[in-house]
Amino acid sequence: MNIQLSDHFNYSKLFQFTLPSVIMMMVTSVYSVVDGLFVSNLVGDKALAAVNIIFPLTMIVGAFGFMMGTGGSAEVARVMGTGEGEKAKEYFTTLILVLVGGGAAISLGCILFMRPLAGLLGASEMLMKDALTYGFIMLAGAPVFILQTSFQSFLVAAERPKMGLWLSIGAGLTNMALDYVFIALFRWGVAGAALATVSGYMVGGFIPLVYFLLPNKSPLRLVKTRLYPRMLWKSATNGSSELMTNVSASLVTVLYNRSLMNVAGETGVAAYTVMMYVDFIFVAAFIGFTMGVAPVFSFQYGAGNDDELKSLFGKCTRVIAVLSLVMTATPQLLAGILTGFFVGYDQGLWEMTTAGFRVFALSFLFKGWNIFGSGFFTALGDGKTSAILAFLRTLLFQCGAIILLPMAFQLSGIWWATVAAEGAAVMVTGWYFYRKRGVYHYA
């Protein structure tokens, strides 16, 4: 059954439409995690720490794609809701051209300054060689990574979420298979992990590009266009919350790494890396659901369907409530098993990681609401509110917590920092939901 943005969404349609995006994000997270599994078990915990040192830089670069993808897809879907299909195609084409050019420029700049950037990110001399090797390869693949992240949103706006799902699965299988070949068989270490990841990006970045270049049955395709400065500015500002989220998360990861180096050394960084890998999978469910439903909110808001907005908002908040409880309870039961996949070979590291993760996982009680809140206001075109929520949650509250709590509680303070930050952020998110309900008529 082909579900359209203009449909009335009951729970069945909501799950059918958003499930591909949820699975897509979880698969994307899983194949990133597979890198960590192979590197940790076959190369060592120091190599795993080196990968985590560079990872924030790759996410900052990818944030450009998230920004223009989420902000741009909201603009494209809104114009589709007003009945301007041809303009939507031109907007879409302009956005893709900007993403390709911008991605190439960002990639080149990062490669030229890789060594000082690695030092700034916290790479010690022990980690520097692996960090540079991983960084050079990952940043060379940045343009296709940017395309992949943006197409995740555009495929939903094009009413092709299942295509995004299958592409993510294909990219994931490519990455996993090549991880085994490059790391387990060829013994290429962190270079093999990076090459496998970039190969996966190519599947998710190039295939959609070809699909939209050719005639297709979706509402979108690449056409002759012109520059739309106001649309680009609106897309960038509207998607600024996603940019803020990714950049802030990356900067906070650097801060965590530096704090852990001071308190627990490279072993502490390795433990935190494992938590981040597991966190990717859990948080992906919230991100995928929000990404999947966002174009529907954009379309209905553009069409002026207040009743559908209210119905959809109510259903989404109930889904987030259930997911939050499940995501919080699961790690308490399975923390030892989940962390054992990565560091079961080292008893001391496993105990540190397991204990820390049980505390860290309490943040899932709040994260879903914060992620949905930011994405919801982006979908309504309220980039300012979305950016405020993202700034407070991912930067101000996180930095404050990671600076202050370790002073009093040392290592345990680091694990509690995310819980405290997300808890503070959810109160702000709830306040904005209440304050804006009369403006957008969703409640």
Side-chain angles (χ1 to χ4, degrees):
M1 178 175 61
N2 186 31
I3 301 175
Q4 298 180 323
L5 299 178
S6 57
D7 289 351
H8 168 71
F9 279 72
N10 54 28
Y11 281 108
S12 177
K13 280 190 176 181
L14 179 62
F15 291 138
Q16 288 181 62
F17 193 75
T18 58
L19 186 60
S21 295
V22 172
I23 298 175
M24 175 177 68
M25 289 304 302
M26 294 186 76
V27 168
T28 301
S29 300
V30 165
Y31 78 69
S32 297
V33 169
V34 169
D35 284 351
L37 284 170
F38 276 99
V39 170
S40 181
N41 286 283
L42 297 180
V43 188
D45 61 331
K46 299 300 184 292
L48 182 65
V51 169
N52 189 47
I53 289 291
I54 293 297
F55 186 75
L57 180 60
T58 66
M59 291 308 298
I60 289 173
V61 171
F64 178 61
F66 282 112
M67 176 182 72
M68 299 306 291
T70 54
S73 64
E75 280 296 292
V76 170
R78 182 187 62 81
V79 172
M80 288 166 59
T82 63
E84 300 175 90
E86 290 305 311
K87 179 174 283 189
K89 292 176 183 176
E90 292 180 9
Y91 278 10
F92 170 64
T93 305
T94 300
L95 287 160
I96 294 301
L97 291 173
V98 168
L99 284 162
V100 171
I106 293 170
S107 175
L108 179 61
C110 290
I111 289 172
L112 290 175
F113 296 98
M114 182 59 65
R115 177 172 281 276
L117 285 171
L120 186 64
L121 292 170
S124 63
E125 285 303 314
M126 181 184 296
L127 304 179
M128 182 62 74
K129 181 180 178 181
D130 281 341
L132 290 177
T133 299
Y134 189 78
F136 279 128
I137 298 171
M138 290 293 289
L139 270 299
V144 284
F145 179 40
I146 288 171
L147 277 178
Q148 183 191 45
T149 57
S150 63
F151 278 133
Q152 288 172 345
S153 295
F154 285 124
L155 283 167
V156 178
E159 300 173 349
R160 293 296 182 272
K162 290 183 180 179
M163 180 180 178
L165 168 61
W166 288 114
L167 285 171
S168 292
I169 291 174
L173 292 174
T174 299
N175 188 359
M176 293 175 192
L178 292 180
D179 267 331
Y180 176 75
V181 173
F182 294 159
I183 302 176
L185 298 183
F186 292 177
R187 301 291 178 179
W188 288 351
V190 295
L195 287 169
T197 299
V198 171
S199 298
Y201 292 160
M202 290 180 179
V203 173
F206 285 148
I207 293 178
L209 189 63
V210 174
Y211 173 78
F212 286 117
L213 276 168
L214 299 175
N216 62 75
K217 295 181 180 180
S218 81
L220 297 178
R221 66 162 296 187
L222 296 171
V223 297
K224 184 177 181 181
T225 189
R226 62 181 177 86
L227 190 65
Y228 285 95
R230 291 183 64 183
M231 180 276 296
L232 290 171
W233 175 251
K234 178 67 174 176
S235 297
T237 54
N238 194 30
S240 61
S241 61
E242 278 64 35
L243 176 70
M244 174 63 67
T245 297
N246 284 275
V247 171
S248 298
S250 299
L251 295 176
V252 167
T253 298
V254 174
L255 195 56
Y256 268 92
N257 288 338
R258 287 185 172 275
S259 296
L260 285 162
M261 286 289 285
N262 292 331
V263 174
E266 286 85 357
T267 301
V269 175
Y272 179 66
T273 303
V274 173
M275 294 181 205
M276 289 298 96
Y277 280 135
V278 181
D279 180 67
F280 292 159
I281 300 174
F282 281 70
V283 170
F286 294 124
I287 296 174
F289 178 77
T290 302
M291 182 185 296
V293 79
V296 187
F297 279 116
S298 299
F299 184 96
Q300 299 297 350
Y301 178 65
N305 295 331
D306 290 349
D307 289 341
E308 189 61 31
L309 277 177
K310 292 177 182 177
S311 172
L312 190 62
F313 181 76
K315 291 180 177 67
C316 287
T317 54
R318 295 182 193 102
V319 171
I320 293 296
V322 173
L323 275 177
S324 297
L325 293 173
V326 172
M327 295 293 182
T328 304
T330 302
Q332 305 307 318
L333 300 173
L334 303 178
I337 296 172
L338 294 172
T339 57
F341 288 130
F342 293 90
V343 292
Y345 56 83
D346 186 317
Q347 182 68 21
L349 180 55
W350 175 79
E351 290 177 355
M352 174 193 292
T353 307
T354 301
F357 185 58
R358 285 201 170 100
V359 174
F360 177 90
L362 295 175
S363 64
F364 297 138
L365 193 61
F366 313 119
K367 278 187 178 182
W369 294 103
N370 294 326
I371 291 168
F372 175 72
S374 181
F376 174 69
F377 287 111
T378 295
L380 297 180
D382 191 346
K384 179 180 178 181
T385 297
S386 184
I388 290 171
L389 293 176
F391 171 76
L392 293 175
R393 172 193 167 230
T394 61
L395 189 62
L396 184 64
F397 293 154
Q398 287 275 3
C399 287
I402 192 58
I403 291 171
L404 296 175
L405 291 182
M407 291 181 180
F409 305 107
Q410 294 296 309
L411 185 60
S412 63
I414 297 177
W415 306 145
W416 278 102
T418 297
V419 182
E422 294 287 351
V426 81
M427 292 188 285
V428 180
T429 299
W431 182 77
Y432 269 107
F433 277 152
Y434 178 79
R435 179 185 177 188
K436 296 283 186 174
R437 71 195 191 287
V439 177
Y440 298 111
H441 309 113
Y442 51 80

